[in-house]
Amino acid sequence: MKKAALISFFMVVALFDNTIAQPFLQLVPQKMFKEEVKFTNADWAGFYLTSKYDEIGQGMMVLLPVGDSIVGFCASEDAGYIRILKGKLNGNGIRYNYETLALNGNLKSIDHQKGEGFMVMKDDGKKENVYCKHGDAKGMQEVKGCFTAGKKQSVELNQSQNSSDYDWSGIWSCNEKKETIPLELDKLNDCYYGYYTLKSFKIHEKTTRGMYWDTETYKVIPKSAVFIFGIPLGECLYYLAVHKDGSQSFVGIFTMASDKKSIKGIYVDKSDMKNLGKKGETLNFTR
């Protein structure tokens, strides 16, 4: 994807199987909505896995408060689709507007490219099982558009954090394997987006199991872009990244140093999300 296409994608933003942690059934969220139950921004803030019943398939999602709204990004596990959403809290639910974009240029299989959605967090004390629905199908088709999301990692909200004190935009440099990797970030409204390019990236394609040993095959890509979509909160940038060439998406956290000249961050795949901040690759960037 070219940079121009990426910028066009974020103009849309301006306008508006790990199943263990997932709710088991794809239930209609409206039936579990409780207006009298007051869930907070802190209850919702975090990283989620969405189920395979989502129209874009299983994916990874980050939700964070921005002002009086909840903003989120969701990427399909295979890096084929990105969803952006913005909504308002009401009781134990969030009613939101969303748009889904295809990174593979094909939206024919998506019923709801954009529209309204509704998600409800189950009022069971855990505050991690979420039921979602896109569209307004009723009657015999009421479950159409329903899928689940399981919160894998909460984000602690500090009321003293002021995101406006930290400017993430600009070019950051990371020295990795004797090569300089530039990370370029731009701001659009309350979010940041950008990319960095990996060189000689090796993709594992398959493993063939033999009688005495296993044979693994790889493909090396000379240049591979990783796109980042982040939501700032104080000194941290909570992000979701899409590695199109690697057909994978992952989440991470960047933390800016007190002198605001360097950032340190980690990223993890979905299998390690319960240990976010402890496992995964570490990236260190400087201005």
Side-chain angles (χ1 to χ4, degrees):
M1 181 185 293
K2 296 181 180 179
K3 185 177 180 182
L6 186 64
I7 294 174
S8 297
F9 162 74
F10 272 91
M11 291 304 292
V12 179
V13 181
L15 296 176
F16 73 170
D17 260 327
N18 187 347
T19 59
I20 295 176
Q22 304 284 23
F24 182 69
L25 298 175
Q26 313 306 308
L27 303 179
V28 179
Q30 188 63 46
K31 295 181 179 180
M32 291 175 285
F33 174 60
K34 299 179 181 179
E35 189 172 10
E36 72 279 4
V37 175
K38 300 302 179 184
F39 278 28
T40 66
N41 285 338
D43 294 328
W44 285 96
F47 296 95
Y48 295 75
L49 288 182
T50 61
S51 73
K52 64 181 181 181
Y53 298 100
D54 187 355
E55 59 192 4
I56 64 174
Q58 187 175 39
M60 307 177 80
M61 179 172 67
V62 55
L63 293 178
L64 281 178
V66 173
D68 61 352
S69 301
I70 289 285
V71 175
F73 299 121
C74 181
S76 61
E77 184 180 50
D78 64 0
Y81 297 92
I82 283 285
R83 175 183 297 128
I84 56 173
L85 63 90
K86 186 174 183 178
K88 298 283 187 179
L89 295 179
N90 183 15
N92 67 330
I94 298 175
R95 195 167 298 280
Y96 57 91
N97 293 316
Y98 73 92
E99 178 142 358
T100 302
L101 294 102
L103 299 181
N104 57 13
N106 182 13
L107 276 172
K108 292 182 179 179
S109 61
I110 302 298
D111 292 331
H112 308 288
Q113 297 179 20
K114 61 181 178 180
E116 294 184 351
F118 186 54
M119 63 175 71
V120 166
M121 185 174 289
K122 189 175 181 180
D123 183 24
D124 58 1
K126 297 181 180 180
K127 298 180 179 179
E128 62 182 22
N129 294 329
V130 177
Y131 297 83
C132 314
K133 179 180 174 69
H134 288 163
D136 56 0
K138 296 181 175 61
M140 296 293 290
Q141 298 293 321
E142 190 173 17
V143 296
K144 183 178 181 181
C146 290
F147 62 98
T148 58
K151 183 161 64 174
K152 300 283 291 193
Q153 177 69 44
S154 297
V155 172
E156 184 177 351
L157 302 184
N158 187 336
Q159 297 300 322
S160 64
Q161 292 176 317
N162 189 352
S163 299
S164 62
D165 291 339
Y166 297 86
D167 183 9
W168 297 86
S169 58
I171 298 178
W172 303 80
S173 296
C174 173
N175 291 320
E176 179 74 11
K177 297 179 181 179
K178 299 181 180 180
E179 295 185 29
T180 300
I181 302 175
L183 166 64
E184 185 174 358
L185 292 174
D186 291 301
K187 185 177 183 181
L188 186 62
N189 290 348
D190 298 310
C191 302
Y192 287 87
Y193 69 97
Y195 65 96
Y196 62 90
T197 301
L198 299 173
K199 297 181 180 180
S200 299
F201 183 76
K202 186 166 65 173
I203 297 175
H204 177 256
E205 290 194 310
K206 65 180 180 179
T207 300
T208 303
R209 302 198 176 279
M211 183 179 296
Y212 301 106
W213 62 80
D214 298 340
T215 302
E216 297 183 274
T217 60
Y218 296 88
K219 178 173 66 176
V220 176
I221 299 175
K223 271 191 173 183
S224 180
V226 179
F227 301 105
I228 289 178
F229 321 101
I231 304 172
L233 189 65
E235 64 183 5
C236 293
L237 185 72
Y238 298 86
Y239 71 89
L240 182 150
V242 173
H243 188 180
K244 189 67 173 66
D245 293 326
S247 297
Q248 62 183 340
S249 58
F250 50 88
V251 297
I253 303 172
F254 282 130
T255 302
M256 190 179 295
S258 58
D259 62 6
K260 301 178 182 177
K261 294 181 180 180
S262 64
I263 57 178
K264 181 178 181 180
I266 55 95
Y267 67 86
V268 298
D269 63 22
K270 68 184 182 68
S271 63
D272 285 331
M273 281 180 67
K274 277 295 187 183
N275 296 304
L276 195 62
K278 297 179 182 179
K279 290 185 178 181
E281 299 293 332
T282 300
L283 296 173
N284 299 285
F285 292 91
T286 57
R287 287 195 191 272

